[in-house]
């Protein structure tokens, strides 16, 4: 068969692109090296609880167009993201808001909180922050930094805050209201029954194959007319939509881009109906090896007799590991720009998504980018 597009990756970018192109009458096929669809937003039932296998994902957007788009494929609940931070037996609300400041200092008015923060910042007299620690201290003061920023950040990046560049933290939002809603977006929720159903509906009627890597599935043959992409069964593809790592596509010929990875430990607790009372609890001490515990049933207000929790451990990425967060520092951004120059010459390949564009995306931004890519193609 002659396909218009081979879409590499059945995550959100690939699924949206595939759905829209099929709707336009294009022939598409989707492959994914994992054994399932939906990429990092994959959910599966365990003890009748939808478990987020690759970390907590809360859909949020300020764009009604994107909210209406995802609601075509599933119904969303009214979940509001209100994480809690645990530090040495103390609990604080996130994001930093009046509940946080009241718990930390006993202040009750926004003016009192502002004065406390300003006093701490003033004592430090940091004029030009030289590293992440100085940048954070100059934004929120010593108490918030020591209890809620330092340990969590060092675990996430795998190094001391003094060794991290200041530009990583451009701002730390301080909210002077008693509002624990983490996001400011107008629309927020989680698909009832999990994200996998949403992606299944996007890919309805499309040939999808899982457990297949791009290099094992196709060859790219140079011809006088350009490049012919052909799979092992003799099917050809006019274009490739590649949502994997761009440096991997080019066999790391210019060097490796850096990522941070994650390791997940999931525990089933059939005798416990409520482990921590909240969907997400962040552990901000450096001495606690994981960054957060997720209790999945709370995403859907579950009343099941048991519960499932997942501890999330940051890890240094090495080739073969799952890449989660691009390390967008000066060195990596410069290297990615060089890879983009190579990509510009591969006119048959569209690079998209978090890995293909080496950028941390919220889910609504992934969908926007995929719709923009479709529009550009059409």
């Amino acid at each position: 068969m002659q396909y218009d597009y081979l879409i590499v990756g059945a995550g959100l970018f690939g699924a949206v692109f595939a759905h829209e192109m099929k709707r336009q009458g294009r022939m598409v096929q989707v492959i994914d090296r994992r054994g399932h669809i939906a990429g990092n937003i994959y959910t599966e039932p365990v003890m009748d609880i939808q478990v987020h296998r690759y970390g907590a994902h809360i859909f949020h957007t300020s764009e009604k167009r994107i909210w209406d788009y995802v609601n075509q494929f599933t119904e969303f609940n009214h979940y509001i993201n209100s994480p809690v931070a645990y530090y040495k037996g103390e609990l604080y609300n996130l994001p930093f808001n009046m509940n946080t400041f009241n718990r930390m200092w006993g202040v009750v008015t926004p003016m009192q909180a502002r004065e406390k923060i300003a006093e701490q910042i003033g004592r430090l007299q940091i004029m030009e922050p030289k590293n992440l620690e100085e940048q954070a201290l100059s934004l929120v003061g010593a108490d918030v930094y020591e209890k809620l920023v330092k340990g969590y950040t060092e675990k996430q990046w795998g190094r001391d805050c003094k060794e991290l560049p200041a530009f990583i933290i451009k701002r730390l939002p301080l909210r002077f209201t008693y509002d624990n809603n983490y996001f400011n977006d107008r629309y927020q929720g989680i698909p009832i029954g999990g994200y996998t159903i949403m992606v299944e509906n996007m890919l309805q009627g499309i040939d999808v194959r899982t457990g297949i890597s791009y290099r094992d599935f196709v060859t790219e043959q140079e011809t006088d007319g350009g490049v012919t992409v052909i799979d092992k069964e003799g099917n050809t593809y006019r274009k490739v939509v590649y949502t994997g790592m761009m440096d991997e596509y080019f066999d790391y010929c210019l060097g490796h881009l850096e990522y941070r990875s994650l390791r997940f430990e999931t525990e089933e607790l059939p005798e416990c109906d409520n482990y921590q009372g909240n969907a997400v609890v962040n552990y901000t001490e450096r001495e606690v090896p994981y960054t957060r515990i997720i209790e999945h049933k709370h995403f859907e207000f579950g009343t099941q007799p048991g519960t499932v929790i997942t501890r999330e451990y940051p890890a240094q990425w090495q080739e073969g590991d799952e890449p989660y967060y691009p390390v967008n520092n000066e060195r990596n951004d410069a290297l990615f720009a060089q890879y983009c120059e190579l990509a510009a010459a591969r006119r048959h390949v569209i690079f998209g998504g978090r890995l293909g564009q080496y950028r941390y995306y919220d889910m609504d931004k992934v969908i926007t980018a995929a719709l923009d890519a479709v529009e550009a193609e059409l």
Side-chain angles (χ1 to χ4, degrees):
M1 293 183 62
Q2 291 184 329
Y3 288 89
D4 292 295
Y5 296 97
L6 173 63
I7 297 166
V8 183
L12 204 47
F13 188 99
V16 169
F17 192 99
H19 175 84
E20 291 302 310
M21 283 305 184
K22 178 180 181 295
R23 199 165 62 85
Q24 295 291 333
R26 305 300 198 271
M27 288 285 291
V28 299
Q29 182 167 212
V30 178
I31 62 171
D32 198 295
R33 61 183 178 77
R34 288 173 172 168
H36 58 75
I37 63 169
N40 284 352
I41 63 172
Y42 173 69
T43 54
E44 65 174 340
V46 177
M47 294 171 48
D48 197 34
I49 296 166
Q50 286 296 325
V51 171
H52 296 220
R53 280 299 183 197
Y54 302 99
H57 287 83
I58 297 94
F59 193 89
H60 59 99
T61 186
S62 292
E63 293 190 54
K64 188 175 187 303
R65 174 180 74 110
I66 300 301
W67 182 246
D68 290 343
Y69 185 83
V70 293
N71 275 270
Q72 297 177 87
F73 306 106
T74 190
E75 183 181 357
F76 281 73
N77 66 21
H78 59 284
Y79 177 81
I80 298 294
N81 189 31
S82 303
V84 172
Y86 177 99
Y87 177 82
K88 297 185 177 180
E90 300 171 357
L91 294 175
Y92 295 94
N93 291 107
L94 298 175
F96 311 138
N97 66 66
M98 285 303 301
N99 289 309
T100 318
F101 308 142
N102 175 265
R103 177 75 177 87
M104 190 166 290
W105 302 309
V107 298
V108 295
T109 69
M111 182 178 292
Q112 290 172 334
R114 290 180 190 275
E115 288 173 352
K116 189 73 176 177
I117 293 168
E119 174 195 334
Q120 292 195 358
I121 293 173
R123 279 204 304 264
L124 295 166
Q125 295 186 331
I126 298 170
M127 302 304 173
E128 292 185 15
K130 299 181 179 62
N131 52 51
L132 186 147
E133 177 166 288
E134 292 186 358
Q135 176 73 17
L137 285 168
S138 69
L139 292 171
V140 297
D143 289 348
V144 173
Y145 170 72
E146 289 292 338
K147 291 188 174 185
L148 302 179
V149 177
K150 178 178 168 62
Y152 190 92
T153 303
E154 290 179 346
K155 287 188 288 189
Q156 196 78 332
W157 289 92
R159 62 187 70 178
D160 193 283
C161 283
K162 294 187 183 72
E163 300 172 13
L164 293 166
F167 69 79
I168 290 177
I169 293 184
K170 295 178 181 177
R171 66 186 187 91
L172 282 170
L174 300 172
R175 186 181 291 170
F176 294 95
T177 59
Y178 289 91
D179 180 7
N180 296 326
N181 184 352
Y182 196 83
F183 302 118
N184 291 317
D185 294 303
R186 180 179 177 185
Y187 307 104
Q188 184 175 168
I190 289 178
I192 296 172
Y195 285 98
T196 304
I197 292 173
M198 180 181 80
V199 177
E200 280 177 357
N201 290 335
M202 288 180 179
L203 294 172
Q204 224 169 43
I206 294 171
D207 185 9
V208 179
R209 303 187 185 191
T210 57
I212 297 175
S213 68
Y214 180 67
R215 293 299 181 195
D216 293 339
F217 186 62
V218 302
T219 56
E220 297 185 10
Q221 300 174 358
E222 300 282 348
T223 64
D224 292 339
V227 176
T228 298
V229 179
I230 185 168
D231 68 24
K232 290 183 175 181
E233 297 169 3
N235 303 309
T236 59
Y237 305 87
R238 186 172 61 84
K239 280 194 172 183
V240 173
V241 177
Y242 193 85
T243 68
M245 297 185 293
M246 186 184 284
D247 55 344
E248 182 181 49
Y249 174 85
F250 288 108
D251 296 319
Y252 309 105
C253 65
L254 301 177
H256 284 74
L257 293 166
E258 291 179 277
Y259 298 87
R260 290 292 290 168
S261 191
L262 294 171
R263 179 171 62 86
F264 302 98
E265 286 184 359
T266 297
E267 188 177 354
E268 299 175 24
L269 303 171
E271 305 301 322
C272 175
D273 70 335
N274 190 354
Y275 180 80
Q276 63 185 14
N278 204 49
V280 180
V281 176
N282 290 357
Y283 285 77
T284 60
E285 299 170 54
R286 180 72 187 263
E287 294 73 25
V288 177
Y290 43 85
T291 50
R292 59 183 178 175
I293 296 179
I294 300 162
E295 188 169 7
H296 302 271
K297 69 188 297 180
H298 295 308
F299 289 130
E300 295 197 68
F301 316 105
T303 58
Q304 298 90 341
T307 193
V308 181
I309 63 170
T310 298
R311 292 177 178 88
E312 191 172 301
Y313 297 81
Q316 181 67 37
W317 179 84
Q318 297 178 340
E319 190 175 341
D321 293 342
E322 196 64 48
Y324 286 94
Y325 302 108
V327 182
N328 289 116
N329 57 24
E330 292 178 10
R331 178 259 177 197
N332 287 307
D333 288 348
L335 180 57
F336 180 65
Q338 292 179 328
Y339 274 117
C340 285
E341 291 179 13
L342 296 181
R346 311 295 288 179
R347 298 175 64 90
H348 67 290
V349 184
I350 300 166
F351 291 93
R354 180 177 46 88
L355 301 180
Q357 296 177 341
Y358 197 63
R359 186 180 307 170
Y360 181 80
Y361 273 128
D362 287 330
M363 285 181 281
D364 64 327
K365 301 301 188 294
V366 172
I367 293 170
T368 299
L371 293 174
D372 288 346
V374 169
E375 186 178 343
E377 278 294 289
L378 295 177

